[in-house]
Amino acid sequence: MDREGLNASLGAVSAQQTPAPKAHRIIMDSNKVVENIYLLVIVTLVSVLQNAFFAQKVERECKNHNTRTSAFERVSCANRNCMDAYPTFLAVMWCAGLCLSQAPAAFAGIIYLVVRQKYFVGYLGQTSQSTPGYLFGKRVITFLSLMCVIGIANYLLVRFYGSDYKEYVETITNAATALLLIP
Amino acid sequence: MDREGLNASLGAVSAQQTPAPKAHRIIMDSNKVVENIYLLVIVTLVSVLQNAFFAQKVERECKNHNTRTSAFERVSCANRNCMDAYPTFLAVMWCAGLCLSQAPAAFAGIIYLVVRQKYFVGYLGQTSQSTPGYLFGKRVITFLSLMCVIGIANYLLVRFYGSDYKEYVETITNAATALLLIP
Amino acid sequence: MDREGLNASLGAVSAQQTPAPKAHRIIMDSNKVVENIYLLVIVTLVSVLQNAFFAQKVERECKNHNTRTSAFERVSCANRNCMDAYPTFLAVMWCAGLCLSQAPAAFAGIIYLVVRQKYFVGYLGQTSQSTPGYLFGKRVITFLSLMCVIGIANYLLVRFYGSDYKEYVETITNAATALLLIP
């Protein structure tokens, strides 16, 4: 009976340790990666769709007016300003999502895309005097940069002092995201 | 004998659990990261080489003709159009590679680079009427975006329904990549 | 006593296996991710700050001189050249950091940012003859590309031959970074 109990216990132990089949484990690993970034990927996809929309506007304007008209100049300039800022936005959003948490970063990313859409449409307005400036979405980029800084500060705190405020920080960040909606 | 058997069994159990030396484990971890992205990194490196090739063309044309000639205008415009689309391409390729599988994503990336090379060379042709439009590589970008969407849909399916079609999806994706070769 | 010893041993085994509370484990995982990229994130943040500085220069020049003056042309051109090379730089730096090791990659990134600052300021100089060319930071980009190549070569060596020179390679890379400081 001693022996049987032992075997049963060991069986339980080894059952706990039996690794899953390899293919299954790889899928699990891969899904763990996707779990942490899928919202960021969705926002990236939406931004790519928006880029394609902008590019098609330029393409159409370019074909309609072979000469360099004012409309073409405006579309082209708006597209270029958006494209200039695009790598910066992507880099900051992904860093913020990886360092702190992905939900607020993705939400801020969506707001940035809305601001960019407004900027692009506003640039195509009738009078050339009303064109908005070169910069846009400063607030969102600042917010995402702050998220990165907080995430790194939290990591360094954990590493050197062992304290961890990450959960509180994430709660505060989630709340702060709502402030971005205020115009 | 009972005891010895037990000890042997426990020894086996604990042997399975003995962690590898720390340095070795870190190398393994790092290699595990590299394993999932090395094809993407290679494509990125090739694209960087291509960027450098484009930039050198612009640099040479810029130095040869101090005045703004038609040739300089064309090279500069082709380079700018390629650079405008570059962050979009990189973002979609990496997302597709991380979400679904890296081999088809890297293959599509290579095809995109070939299309871009053709576009750039075509832009430098003799007559300005024959310049291709602003957009290029639409099919590859669409394919990579679809890969992202499928990867995320698969992740959400696994998360909420527990079913996993990832292996089938990967097989189909690998087959579909071949379709990109059809001009 | 036999039984007790057994239970104690099994207790020790199962104690080793007791998983940490889930929230804690997630934080650990997340910190493990941040651990490998935090230097890269810091460099990315600094580069974003620099981008904002460049953009504000363009914005100010744009507002001051509504007509397209020479100063605006120069600022705009310098900014555009910097922005054209930005995605390339980011991609190579992150690949180098992920494939080999982050400290030399981040250091090379900082040097690139210094070179870019000099380039931008030099572009705004008085005489238009003194403008530097289209390319800059070639040496840093080459160094980072080499880091990627070495990292991937090392991974393939480990995979197919089982040998691992990563530690030696990292030491050499760290030493080679110092060479970048030589002007």
Side-chain angles (χ1 to χ4, degrees), chain C residues 81-146:
Chain C
N81 290 352
C82 288
M83 285 300 113
D84 272 5
Y86 186 59
T88 310
F89 158 67
L90 269 192
V92 178
M93 187 185 73
W94 278 83
C95 286
L98 291 177
C99 287
L100 201 55
S101 76
Q102 64 166 343
F107 187 69
I110 287 288
I111 288 179
Y112 179 83
L113 294 183
V114 170
V115 169
R116 194 165 74 148
Q117 185 75 29
K118 273 189 193 164
Y119 173 82
F120 190 81
V121 171
Y123 221 99
L124 307 185
Q126 291 301 322
T127 52
S128 61
Q129 278 82 10
S130 71
T131 52
Y134 177 68
L135 283 168
F136 62 98
K138 283 168 256 188
R139 204 163 31 152
V140 180
I141 298 289
T142 312
F143 173 77
L144 287 169
S145 305
L146 280 182

Side-chain angles (χ1 to χ4, degrees), chain C residues 100-101 104 143 147 150 168-178:
Chain C
L100 201 55
S101 76
F143 173 77
M147 274 183 69
I150 292 170
Y168 309 109
V169 167
E170 276 182 7
T171 315
I172 294 170
T173 315
N174 279 313
T177 319

Side-chain angles (χ1 to χ4, degrees), chain B residues 128-170:
Chain B
S128 62
Q129 278 83 11
S130 73
T131 52
Y134 177 69
L135 282 169
F136 63 98
K138 281 170 259 189
R139 204 163 31 151
V140 180
I141 298 288
T142 311
F143 173 77
L144 287 169
S145 305
L146 280 181
M147 275 183 67
C148 293
V149 170
I150 292 171
I152 290 175
N154 180 65
Y155 162 71
L156 294 176
L157 274 180
V158 173
R159 182 165 169 191
F160 292 114
Y161 295 102
S163 56
D164 197 338
Y165 304 109
K166 189 156 187 177
E167 284 170 61
Y168 309 108
V169 167
E170 277 182 7

Side-chain angles (χ1 to χ4, degrees), chain C residues 55-111:
Chain C
Q56 247 170 351
K57 282 268 184 194
V58 175
E59 176 105 342
R60 197 177 306 154
E61 207 63 49
C62 186
K63 277 183 181 160
N64 285 352
H65 310 278
N66 268 320
T67 56
R68 297 204 145 220
T69 62
S70 163
F72 172 75
E73 284 279 353
R74 274 214 299 278
V75 172
S76 174
C77 186
N79 179 58
R80 190 153 298 150
N81 290 352
C82 288
M83 285 300 113
D84 272 5
Y86 186 59
T88 310
F89 158 67
L90 269 192
V92 178
M93 187 185 73
W94 278 83
C95 286
L98 291 177
C99 287
L100 201 55
S101 76
Q102 64 166 343
F107 187 69
I110 287 288
I111 288 179

Side-chain angles (χ1 to χ4, degrees), chain A residues 107 111 114-115 118 137 139-140 176-183:
Chain A
F107 187 69
I111 288 179
V114 171
V115 169
K118 273 188 193 165
R139 203 160 36 147
V140 180
T177 319
L179 293 177
L180 285 173
L181 284 174
I182 304 170

Side-chain angles (χ1 to χ4, degrees), chain B residues 13 49-50 59 61 124 150 152-153 171:
Chain B
V13 169
L49 280 182
Q50 207 184 24
E59 176 103 343
E61 207 64 49
L124 307 185
I150 292 171
I152 290 175
T171 315

Side-chain angles (χ1 to χ4, degrees), chain A residues 115-158:
Chain A
V115 169
R116 193 165 75 149
Q117 185 74 30
K118 273 188 193 165
Y119 174 81
F120 189 81
V121 171
Y123 221 99
L124 307 186
Q126 291 301 323
T127 52
S128 61
Q129 278 82 10
S130 71
T131 51
Y134 178 69
L135 284 169
F136 63 98
K138 281 169 259 189
R139 203 160 36 147
V140 180
I141 297 288
T142 312
F143 173 76
L144 287 169
S145 306
L146 280 181
M147 274 182 69
C148 293
V149 170
I150 292 170
I152 290 175
N154 179 66
Y155 162 71
L156 294 176
L157 273 181
V158 173

